[in-house]
């Protein structure tokens, strides 16, 4: 089921309550706080009854520097093959779901606690990590927030809000109907995605059944919930995309590649090309 959120017009700088594994030896430490841009105002929106936390947004865009024609910012080439094309010969055909799932069979936790899939569910989902990526296995709740359209609006989604944590290059909210994006939890004592070199526009691979699709990180959700992606992402995976009753209860693997960033964030083609390249490097890597 789709869980609910509170959307803010500005990034929150409040201290976040920690959550830890039972019996964890050390208390969690809060991550760095987002930096607000001049002119951004804190404006609370109605709380959705079945969502257990707040959503941050919009977050100031990255200023990491100029972006090459590939749509990937400088510094996002970690794990890429050498200039001699030595790894290119290994890239034959699309990356298979089975190959990606084999790489994330185990879990080296990077989160200091575990997440719930929905409000009221058990907290049993860790965020795992390798040198090149972070990943989690969860349900998929449909995020329809952002730019209103024929399928995502206040009439089709009783919990609709016209904002996303990260915005297009022109400052407008993302379009959940057209842009495949994933939602990361609000930074907290459980996990701060920024500490894992994940940001708005980071490239993600989504795996469901035998399908692999690519997306960007596009929204921020409640601090204790995980497992949400846009209408377009759900549709691309063959998952019912109805924002009111769609989604799937389990079986979705989210893999986000560290240090990657598509700019502009709304460039779907660039995300797909970068995703296929990064997924191939991830599968072929040690």
């Amino acid at each position: 089921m789709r869980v609910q959120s509170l959307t803010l017009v500005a990034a929150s700088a409040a201290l976040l309550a920690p959550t830890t594994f039972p019996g964890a030896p050390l208390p969690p430490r809060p991550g760095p706080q987002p930096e607000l841009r001049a002119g951004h105002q804190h404006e609370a929106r109605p709380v959705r009854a079945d969502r257990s936390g707040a959503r941050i947004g919009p977050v100031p865009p990255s200023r990491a520097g100029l972006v090459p024609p590939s749509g990937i910012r400088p510094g996002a080439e970690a794990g890429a093959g050498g200039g001699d094309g030595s790894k290119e010969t290994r890239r034959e055909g699309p990356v298979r779901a089975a190959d990606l799932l084999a790489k994330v069979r185990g879990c080296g936790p990077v989160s200091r606690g575990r997440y719930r899939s929905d409000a009221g569910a058990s907290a049993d989902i860790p965020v795992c990590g390798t040198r090149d990526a972070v990943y989690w296995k969860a349900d998929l709740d449909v995020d329809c927030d952002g730019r209103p359209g024929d399928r995502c609006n206040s009439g089709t989604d009783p919990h609709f809000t016209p904002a996303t944590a990260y915005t297009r290059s022109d400052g407008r909210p993302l379009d959940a109907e057209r842009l495949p994006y994933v939602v990361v939890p609000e930074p907290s004592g459980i996990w701060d995605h920024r500490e894992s070199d994940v940001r708005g526009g980071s490239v993600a691979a989504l795996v469901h059944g035998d399908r692999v699709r690519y997306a960007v990180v596009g929204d921020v959700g409640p601090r204790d919930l995980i497992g949400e992606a846009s209408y377009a992402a759900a549709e691309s995976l063959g998952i019912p995309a109805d924002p009111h009753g769609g989604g799937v209860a389990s079986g979705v693997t989210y893999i986000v590649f560290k240090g990657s960033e598509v700019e502009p964030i709304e460039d779907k083609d660039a995300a797909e090309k970068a995703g296929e390249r990064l997924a191939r490097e991830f599968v072929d890597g040690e």
Side-chain angles (χ1 to χ4, degrees):
M1 103 182 149
R2 171 86 188 276
V3 286
Q4 186 58 30
S5 71
L6 168 67
T7 303
L8 304 179
V9 172
S12 171
L15 292 177
L16 302 168
T19 304
T20 61
F21 286 108
L26 294 175
R29 48 188 180 79
Q33 301 305 313
E35 188 176 13
L36 295 179
R37 261 179 155 184
H40 283 183
Q41 302 294 323
H42 292 278
E43 179 184 342
R45 296 188 182 274
V47 178
R48 299 178 179 183
D50 57 344
R51 178 69 102 171
S52 65
R55 186 183 295 265
I56 301 176
V59 173
S62 169
R63 299 297 180 190
L66 298 177
V67 181
S70 65
I72 304 298
R73 67 172 180 84
E77 306 296 333
D84 61 358
S86 59
K87 293 186 71 174
E88 295 297 329
T89 57
R90 301 168 67 182
R91 302 175 189 178
E92 298 179 358
V95 175
R96 300 184 309 158
D99 294 334
L100 279 170
L101 293 177
K103 292 292 288 189
V104 298
R105 185 175 293 118
C107 178
V110 297
S111 59
R112 294 178 287 271
R114 299 194 178 204
Y115 288 96
R116 305 175 193 278
S117 59
D118 293 295
S122 299
D124 57 5
I125 304 171
V127 176
C128 312
T130 68
R131 179 190 63 184
D132 300 317
V134 293
Y135 56 93
W136 56 94
K137 302 174 184 182
D139 63 342
L140 189 151
D141 294 317
V142 179
D143 185 344
C144 224
D145 296 340
R147 183 181 179 184
D150 292 339
R151 300 172 182 84
C152 290
N153 55 65
S154 58
T156 61
D157 181 359
H159 307 309
F160 176 80
T161 55
T164 49
Y166 301 103
T167 59
R168 293 166 49 102
S169 53
D170 60 7
R172 292 185 297 171
L174 301 181
D175 188 339
E177 288 184 18
R178 293 176 173 80
L179 180 67
Y181 67 74
V182 302
V183 181
V184 294
E186 178 183 355
S188 74
I190 306 175
W191 178 56
D192 184 339
H193 59 273
R194 299 167 299 184
E195 294 178 352
S196 296
D197 204 8
V198 171
R199 57 181 62 80
S202 288
V203 182
L206 299 175
V207 184
H208 178 62
D210 61 357
R211 294 194 184 193
V212 178
R213 298 293 183 268
Y214 300 104
V216 294
V217 172
D219 212 350
V220 175
R223 69 184 62 180
D224 63 339
L225 301 179
I226 203 166
E228 190 174 5
S230 69
Y231 182 103
E235 191 173 49
S236 72
L237 289 169
I239 293 172
D242 175 12
H244 188 52
V248 66
S250 63
V252 178
T253 299
Y254 302 73
I255 304 169
V256 183
F257 300 105
K258 296 179 179 180
S260 62
E261 185 176 4
V262 172
E263 292 185 357
I265 191 173
E266 66 268 21
D267 191 336
K268 178 180 175 182
D269 290 340
E272 290 176 351
K273 290 176 182 177
E276 183 65 36
R277 175 179 63 81
L278 291 166
R280 174 57 63 191
E281 291 165 3
F282 183 62
V283 166
D284 290 345
E286 298 299 327

